[in-house]
Amino acid sequence: MNPVYEPIPMRAKLETSSYSQVTERDRSMSNGTHHHEIPSPPKPRQHRHSRVLLHWLWYFLSLAWLAPIVTLLYLNFSNHVIGASVWCPAGHCNAESTTENAVGRASYLDRKDHDANGALQFVAKTLEVWFIFVATGLVYDMAVMFGRDGQGLPLGYFLSHLEFTDIRYILDPLLWKVPLPHRHSPPETRSRLIKLYLFAIFTAFLTILANLMGPATAVLVLPTLQWVETPKTTNQTFGVSGVDRQPAGKDVFPYCTAGELLARNYSCTSYPYGPSLDGWASQGIATITQEYSNDDALIILGSSQEAALQFTLNGSANNELIWIPNRQVLREMSHDFMKTRGYFTELKEPEYPDKMINNSLQTILQRQGPSLGVQADCYAGDVSDYQTEDGSRWVRCYTGWYFSDQVDQVYTKCLRLGKGFDDTNYTAQFWLENFDDSVPENETGIGVYFADKAVYFNKTDDFGSGVGACMNDGSQGNNCDWDKIFDAPLVNLPLELANTSVNVGVVSYQVPGVSNLYARIYCDHVTYRSFPTYTADTSPLSNVQNAVALDDLATVMVNATPIMVHPDWFLAAWSVALNETVDGNRGIVKELTRVLPFAYNSNASTWGADPDTYSFIIMHLYALGQSMSLVDFTHTAPPSDAEFHKSQAMDKDPHPVLFTWARIHVWAYGLSGRTAKLGVAVVILGSACVIARVLIGIFTGITERSTVEVLAAAFEHRHQGELEGLEEESHLAKVRYRMFEDGEGKQRFIPEKRTHRWSHARSG
């Protein structure tokens, strides 16, 4: 017989008493005897009080999770420095990084670090498990809230609080299918469907959050070995540089008197700086010899010493600039360096935090200060002079100037000199003693010139200045209107010419041993000023030579104007008086006078490629670097906070504030990496979940049931036919039950209403 569908009358509401009344048949024993119903004993009041107390204790423990998290966030956001070791109680873990015991001490601290980091791993795992307990309660509370509302909670979500920690939970199709009603369910409202999907999304979110909480807390708990900058102190405010005037004052050269400097007699600098220049030159010759005699050798720049520190020329990729450290800055920095090495008991000024430096694995002192950068090139050519009748103005022209990458395009470069053109056009001259018997001249002249303007021309082009026409008309320059020529705009000049047409310095070397009296090797340069960071590593292991380097070298724009440089600084570098002679026994003098003829006769296309011309270039650059390093400057006290912020707002401050600080290698917390920032985001979201769990528990009064209690309630539930005809897991999981507590405080379930039921009538 075919099955007959029998409609089942559904009750609008299931009475609570149906769960508390049990028939004698249900209580009978297996032998068929029946017993009277035994009423359940009333729930003890003490048990209720203990459950409430337990819940409040659990809320407190949930909120207590925030205490270590807030502490970790504070440590990381504040970049808290621990010290030379992870285990550094009260800051007592001196690494002795500047002593002979540095390696042994570092090994000892490394073992301590290994143990401490291992212990912190357990701390991170504890925080992860702690959070999972709290998140489990949150998922349970959300499930009960949905179970008490509307048509109840789908059966598939009943154990979400036990399943959500498994990452595979979010990949289970049931999680996303359960909100949809099955075929026997009444129509679902749109708002209810949205709520169920929000529950699924929220539990999936907590699944991801719970699985990320372990790595997130580990990232925040474990400190890292990193370079940390100590607080910057306003050391001084830059005042005025002495680069544009002749050396003067009692502080510029300790061994020179004011009278000697006024008379332009700089031989007094020979004691500290004469051997310095000779040593630089000998180092240059030695490295060039290595370069040309060994295929695997490199040119290694020589160094010069100032107090306890050494420095060398610092190259820059921008416009081939060479930056020279300032010796005045080095002297100020040297005292701090010596103190860090343990030679002095007190710093000159409280510029570095002593405790932080002592508790670091490595310390790099840093100080901002002025530095001069030069763009210099050397050429071989002939010189010619054109002087006005009153002698106050004269023009000097050099042939043989060319672009560094276009040796076939040769120009003549003309400088305007003399105070008649401009008060800044200073000149100086001195001589090198020549002991070479093969050279007829007893002395080799060196002229140092500063010109505020320069022009260029060749046979085909003078870039609109008009100098080419008057120089090539046979009048020997007598018909030139020099004012008009030098006032010509620079817009028509190529970039490289324009950069070397304003505030140009030229050092002109006579060439001994050649018949041409006008033969010269001349080197022009333009100078810029910057305020880089001087860095000195205090470790005797990694910085054996006490070297200082320049960081944060400024990028000089192509339209920046070079600064004026007084020629007397070059005389001071050579330790010679104006129009006097440098002793020929000095090493740099012997080598320079030897290579000058070879450099002059070298082919322009290969100029600087042979060891003799290369030696000349190196010696000139060292002499130029020596002169730039000697330049003094004035400074004033640091400004007030208001003045400081005002100066910081200026785009180009002529008197910048110069800071002093240190970089220390320490164990510290921080948010320098992307993983740390991700960890912060995870724990902040976790903190929000913890707070939400406590608030929901307090305001809803939901009592969390154990798994045994839930199973007991399920076994006590009387089946109402809600599962009939549903065999597939996906259908069973969609059946909804409302949750409530009966009069005895037990968990009870009310099934959803069904639209119909399958039944089969069988023939007998």
Side-chain angles (χ1 to χ4, degrees), residues 267-284:
S267 59
C268 52
T269 67
S270 61
Y271 179 70
Y273 298 124
S276 172
L277 182 59
D278 290 342
W280 238 350
S282 62
Q283 292 177 66

Side-chain angles (χ1 to χ4, degrees), residues 555-725:
T555 300
V556 177
M557 305 302 293
V558 294
N559 59 349
T561 302
I563 63 174
M564 175 195 168
V565 179
H566 198 286
D568 280 19
W569 290 106
F570 201 78
L571 272 63
W574 276 92
S575 303
V576 64
L578 180 67
N579 294 321
E580 295 296 331
T581 303
V582 181
D583 189 352
N585 290 313
R586 292 179 56 177
I588 188 173
V589 176
K590 292 180 179 180
E591 184 64 16
L592 195 60
T593 54
R594 184 190 70 82
V595 301
L596 275 171
F598 296 101
Y600 177 78
N601 292 317
S602 179
N603 191 306
S605 60
T606 59
W607 210 85
D610 61 273
D612 290 326
T613 55
Y614 208 163
S615 295
F616 166 77
I617 294 173
I618 287 292
M619 285 185 286
H620 170 74
L621 288 179
Y622 283 150
L624 184 62
Q626 179 87 314
S627 66
M628 298 299 174
S629 71
L630 297 174
V631 174
D632 67 329
F633 65 95
T634 63
H635 55 79
T636 59
S640 64
D641 291 340
E643 292 174 343
F644 169 70
H645 290 299
K646 181 180 179 181
S647 66
Q648 289 294 95
M650 298 176 62
D651 294 334
K652 294 182 179 180
D653 188 356
H655 306 288
V657 177
L658 306 178
F659 292 94
T660 299
W661 71 100
R663 295 182 69 227
I664 53 178
H665 204 205
V666 291
W667 288 95
Y669 291 97
L671 301 176
S672 57
R674 295 180 180 177
T675 54
K677 294 180 176 65
L678 177 61
V680 168
V682 170
V683 298
I684 289 177
L685 291 174
S687 301
C689 292
V690 170
I691 296 173
R693 188 265 183 272
V694 174
L695 293 178
I696 291 174
I698 292 175
F699 287 105
T700 62
I702 295 175
T703 301
E704 185 172 344
R705 303 290 179 173
S706 67
T707 306
V708 173
E709 290 178 298
V710 174
L711 288 175
F715 286 138
E716 291 182 353
H717 170 69
R718 292 182 62 185
H719 182 245
Q720 304 295 316
E722 65 271 12
L723 300 179
E724 291 187 10

Side-chain angles (χ1 to χ4, degrees), residues 244-278:
D244 58 351
R245 56 169 173 77
Q246 70 181 74
K250 61 179 181 179
D251 296 328
V252 59
F253 298 123
Y255 298 96
C256 298
T257 65
E260 289 174 320
L261 297 180
L262 185 61
R264 304 176 73 179
N265 180 7
Y266 307 105
S267 59
C268 52
T269 67
S270 61
Y271 179 70
Y273 298 124
S276 172
L277 182 59
D278 290 342

Side-chain angles (χ1 to χ4, degrees), residues 167-188:
I167 193 65
R168 294 174 297 179
Y169 177 73
I170 62 176
L171 302 178
D172 189 349
L174 282 181
L175 177 65
W176 311 106
K177 292 181 179 180
V178 163
L180 299 174
H182 61 86
R183 59 184 176 180
H184 298 321
S185 299
E188 191 73 87

Side-chain angles (χ1 to χ4, degrees), residues 12-91:
K13 182 176 182 181
L14 184 64
E15 298 294 339
T16 307
S17 61
S18 63
Y19 288 97
S20 60
Q21 298 175 354
V22 183
T23 64
E24 289 185 351
R25 180 175 54 84
D26 294 328
R27 297 181 180 275
S28 63
M29 302 298 291
S30 60
N31 58 8
T33 61
H34 299 278
H35 300 272
H36 293 288
E37 180 179 352
I38 302 175
S40 300
K43 194 171 186 178
R45 184 181 301 272
Q46 183 179 0
H47 180 68
R48 290 179 179 271
H49 289 169
S50 62
R51 182 182 289 273
V52 172
L53 181 62
L54 183 62
H55 286 165
W56 279 102
L57 178 61
W58 180 238
Y59 296 153
F60 172 77
L61 292 177
S62 298
L63 288 176
W65 183 84
L66 297 176
I69 295 301
V70 171
T71 302
L72 290 176
L73 290 175
Y74 170 77
L75 292 175
N76 283 275
F77 274 104
S78 63
N79 297 316
H80 176 71
V81 175
I82 301 174
S85 174
V86 178
W87 179 247
C88 193

